[in-house]
Structure formats: structure tokens, C-alpha cells
């Protein structure tokens, strides 16, 4: 039997990246994909045979026979000593592409009413909101053609508890989706948090109530109690599973009720590779640039990644605007407007 190391995989909810064991059975596809994983391998770790869900054959790799095996399957430490897994640029870009494809699938499942709640986390400016909005806009187009009322809403920024209650009522019908984009202040407010927990509850009926007197609710004709049957997508820069203090308990309460999708762009290298990927996919086609011009913009970002005000898709368009403004001096202009001093 070959000895393999898990690059990215899952066993009973436990992330198994770095785990090493004997390969018992090679990769096999599920008849129905499970939680985003198309298949699994069977690995013997310690004295136990486990089925680890992986993203195809790229989810594991053969290692040397003398590589230390994992000593615990469900423990926090999967290997002893820990083995660093280095991914190529191509592997990272494929992983990122797959994550965004999962984001699209989960967004569509929210539209279909299958997913009640989802948290999407990742650094700013990498396309989190864009991917969700594309799915919602496509669904809205069919609704408009059919003459149906609007079912989807994207709310950005802060929201008071009563404002959140009114939003939840507006998108309470089955098949409706409320997207809370960068509304992190809600998570620090006990009343808002309780409203969210009620809206995301796993019970058959999700009843939301507002017991306090409110002229705003009377004016809008909103009842003090209603059933929420829609879905909620929470888009944030926060890592829910990495927070500490009182907010950690709040976020864990939301995570337990939602699907949690981390877009896994924690390093500058991953952000730059994401930029390369999206530019290669035609992000700048409206600028009518040739390959050399597009490469020049990406190369500028890579060279100055630690000096730029932000490494994001928004920065790509800023640089492209400067290029169109003055193709000979665009880098000098960028030095003055896009670089931190």
C-alpha cells in the first residue's frame, strides 16, 4: 500500500489537511456529491480505516514511506511532526476557482430555498459579493420576465435591530434571499443577533417577533410577529472560526445555523493569484487591452503588492483606468495614487 498525505479533505467534519496514512482504496466518486466534495479515499490512520472526503486526486499525494503517520484521527494535531504542504500556483488557482464555483452553487441553493443560511468569508475586494449578485440577478431576470415581485435584496453597511427586523419581514417569503454584505455591526448587537438566530433556526417554523412598541412598524404595516421562510447570505471579511472574546460565542451561534464557506485567501500570494486568474478569465475585456498590456498591470500589482493601498479586483480596474488615461505614464500615476506613503 502507498503512504499518502491529505492536501485538503474532511472526515466527519474534521479538516484532515496534513494527515498521513496508508492508502487502502484509491479515489472513488460519490453517486451524489457530499457537502462540496465529489468523492473520497479510504485511508488507514493508526489502527482505524477512515473514508476521507477529498476534491479528487488533487486532494491527496503520495509521500515517502518513512513519513510519520498520523497518531490521531479526530484530534486537533493530525500528524507528528507536522508536514508542510507546498502547493503550486496552478493548484492554488484551481482551489480558488473551485471555492468560487461552490459559492455559486450554494447561492443558487439559497435561491431554491434549500440552504437557509450561509456565511461567506474572505478578504475585501476578491469578488465575494459579485459572485452572489450574479446568481441573484440571473434569478431576478426570470422573475421579471414572469412578472413576479422582487425576491432578493443586498443590504450593505450597518443596520439597527428594528431595521433588520423590517428587512427580514420584506424577504420573509419562501424563495426570497436577503444578502447582508459587510454588516458586521449586527453581530455585536444582542437584539440583532437574536433576530438572526431566530431567522436561521433549524426548526420547521422560524417565528420572528418584535415585542417593543414601534411607530415605524405601525407606519409600515409590519406585524409584531411573522414566520420567516426565506434565506440569508452573510458576506463578511471576518473569520468566524478565528475570533476570540465575547464575539466568538455570537459567531459560533450563527455558524451552527449556517453553512460556512471560507474562500481561503489568507496570504498575499493567494490574492495575487486570484487577480491573475480573474484577469485571465477576461476581467479587462471591456478595456480592449492586449495580453501584454494586461500582463503589465498584473506584474505591477505583484511587484508592488506590499505597497499598494489594497490588493483587490478593484485595484485592477483602478490601474486599468490609469492605463487608458495615459498608457505611457500610468505607472507614475499609480505610484502617486495607489501606493501607500
Amino acid at each position: 500500500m502507498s503512504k499518502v498525505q491529505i492536501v485538503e479533505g474532511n472526515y466527519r467534519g474534521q479538516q484532515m489537511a496534513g494527515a498521513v496514512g496508508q492508502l487502502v482504496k484509491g479515489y472513488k466518486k460519490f453517486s451524489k456529491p457530499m457537502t462540496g466534495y465529489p468523492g473520497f479515499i479510504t485511508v488507514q490512520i493508526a489502527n482505524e480505516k477512515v473514508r476521507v472526503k477529498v476534491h479528487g486526486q488533487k486532494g491527496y499525494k503520495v509521500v515517502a514511506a518513512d513519513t510519520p503517520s498520523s497518531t490521531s484521527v479526530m484530534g486537533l494535531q493530525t500528524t507528528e511532526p507536522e508536514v508542510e504542504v507546498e502547493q503550486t500556483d496552478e493548484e492554488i488557482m484551481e482551489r480558488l476557482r473551485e471555492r468560487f464555483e461552490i459559492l455559486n452553487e450554494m447561492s443558487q441553493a439559497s435561491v431554491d430555498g434549500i440552504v437557509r443560511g450561509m456565511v461567506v468569508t474572505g478578504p475585501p475586494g476578491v469578488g465575494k459579493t459579485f459572485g452572489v449578485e450574479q446568481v441573484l440577478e440571473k434569478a431576478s431576470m426570470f422573475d421579471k420576465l414572469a412578472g413576479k415581485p422582487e425576491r432578493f435584496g443586498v443590504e450593505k453597511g450597518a443596520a439597527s435591530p428594528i431595521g433588520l427586523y423590517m428587512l427580514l419581514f420584506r424577504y420573509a417569503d419562501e424563495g426570497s434571499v436577503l444578502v447582508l454584505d459587510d454588516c458586521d455591526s449586527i453581530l455585536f448587537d444582542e437584539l440583532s443577533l437574536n433576530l438572526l438566530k431566530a431567522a436561521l433556526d433549524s426548526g420547521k417554523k422560524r417565528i420572528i417577533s418584535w415585542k417593543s412598541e414601534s411607530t415605524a412598524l405601525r407606519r409600515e404595516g409590519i406585524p409584531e410577529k411573522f414566520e420567516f421562510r426565506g434565506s440569508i447570505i452573510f458576506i463578511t471579511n471576518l473569520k468566524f472560526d478565528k475570533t476570540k472574546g465575547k464575539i466568538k460565542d455570537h459567531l459560533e451561534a450563527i455558524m451552527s445555523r449556517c453553512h460556512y464557506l471560507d474562500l481561503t485567501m489568507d496570504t498575499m500570494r493567494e490574492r495575487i493569484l486570484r487577480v491573475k486568474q480573474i484577469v485571465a478569465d477576461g476581467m479587462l475585456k471591456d478595456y480592449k487591452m492586449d495580453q501584454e498590456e494586461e500582463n503589465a498591470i498584473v506584474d505591477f500589482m505583484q511587484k508592488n503588492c506590499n505597497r499598494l493601498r489594497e490588493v483587490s479586483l478593484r485595484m485592477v480596474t483602478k490601474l486599468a483606468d490609469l492605463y487608458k488615461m495615459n498608457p505611457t505614464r500610468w505607472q507614475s500615476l499609480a505610484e502617486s495614487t495607489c501606493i501607500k506613503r
Side-chain angles (χ1 to χ4, degrees), residues 131-329:
V132 173
E133 287 181 334
Q134 272 194 316
V135 174
L136 298 186
E137 285 174 8
K138 183 178 179 181
S140 294
M141 180 179 65
F142 291 120
D143 283 348
K144 289 176 182 177
L145 291 174
K148 296 180 179 179
E150 184 177 295
R151 294 184 293 145
F152 316 114
V154 179
E155 299 296 326
K156 299 176 184 284
S160 65
I162 188 107
L164 177 61
Y165 184 83
M166 296 169 75
L167 282 172
L168 292 171
F169 179 76
R170 187 187 307 171
Y171 299 103
D173 291 340
E174 187 174 3
S176 296
V177 180
L178 171 60
V179 180
L180 298 172
D181 185 7
D182 199 21
C183 296
D184 295 344
S185 61
I186 289 174
L187 302 170
F188 293 85
D189 183 271
E190 292 279 356
L191 184 52
S192 295
L193 189 70
N194 288 333
L195 291 173
L196 275 180
K197 288 194 288 187
L200 295 167
D201 192 73
S202 56
K204 288 186 177 180
K205 280 197 172 185
R206 294 171 281 167
I207 304 298
I208 302 175
S209 60
W210 186 273
K211 298 300 183 182
S212 302
E213 172 68 18
S214 172
T215 55
L217 295 185
R218 287 202 311 272
R219 184 171 60 249
E220 297 294 330
I222 299 175
E224 65 177 21
K225 182 170 65 174
F226 62 90
E227 180 181 358
F228 185 80
R229 295 181 294 164
S231 299
I232 299 174
I233 299 177
F234 206 99
I235 300 175
T236 179
N237 303 331
L238 286 176
K239 290 270 193 181
F240 277 34
D241 54 346
K242 303 294 183 184
T243 54
K244 296 180 181 180
K246 185 178 179 181
I247 187 65
K248 179 180 179 182
D249 296 332
H250 290 186
L251 300 187
E252 285 180 348
I254 298 299
M255 283 178 63
S256 69
R257 292 165 167 80
C258 289
H259 294 275
Y260 183 76
L261 178 60
D262 187 345
L263 296 177
T264 63
M265 277 181 283
D266 302 323
T267 66
M268 186 62 72
R269 179 189 177 196
E270 288 167 330
R271 295 190 197 185
I272 290 293
L273 289 174
R274 173 64 177 165
V275 166
K276 286 185 176 181
Q277 182 183 70
I278 298 303
V279 170
D281 285 347
M283 177 184 177
L284 298 177
K285 64 180 180 180
D286 290 341
Y287 288 85
K288 295 181 172 56
M289 292 180 170
D290 59 31
Q291 189 67 55
E292 186 177 345
E293 292 169 329
E294 290 184 355
N295 290 342
I297 288 177
V298 174
D299 290 345
F300 181 87
M301 288 191 68
Q302 186 165 11
K303 179 182 177 181
N304 298 283
C305 61
N306 293 317
R307 301 171 58 222
L308 286 169
R309 297 190 184 280
E310 66 174 355
V311 175
S312 67
L313 300 180
R314 287 188 290 266
M315 182 58 71
V316 175
T317 58
K318 287 180 182 179
L319 295 174
D321 289 339
L322 294 177
Y323 189 95
K324 280 301 180 184
M325 174 180 158
N326 193 323
T328 59
R329 292 188 62 244

Side-chain angles (χ1 to χ4, degrees), residues 1-99:
M1 292 188 293
S2 302
K3 182 167 279 192
V4 297
Q5 182 180 55
I6 306 300
V7 175
E8 184 181 6
N10 184 288
Y11 172 66
R12 294 184 179 178
Q14 174 81 23
Q15 290 299 316
M16 299 294 289
V20 176
Q22 296 291 337
L23 181 65
V24 178
K25 291 183 181 179
Y27 178 71
K28 183 177 180 181
K29 285 188 175 182
F30 288 116
S31 55
K32 293 183 178 179
M34 300 180 66
T35 59
Y37 290 90
F40 65 93
I41 58 173
T42 305
V43 184
Q44 182 170 324
I45 299 178
N47 296 318
E48 190 168 357
K49 292 180 181 179
V50 297
R51 294 203 320 181
V52 181
K53 292 179 282 187
V54 294
H55 292 296
Q57 295 184 351
K58 65 186 178 185
Y60 64 99
K61 66 177 184 178
V62 177
V63 295
D66 57 354
T67 302
S69 297
S70 298
T71 56
S72 171
V73 176
M74 296 301 290
L76 292 176
Q77 298 296 327
T78 56
T79 58
E80 193 176 48
E82 185 177 351
V83 179
E84 192 71 27
V85 180
E86 180 69 22
Q87 288 185 297
T88 65
D89 287 356
E90 290 72 20
E91 288 172 333
I92 291 175
M93 285 194 284
E94 181 59 31
R95 165 167 57 81
L96 295 178
R97 187 184 300 280
E98 188 167 15
R99 289 281 168 158

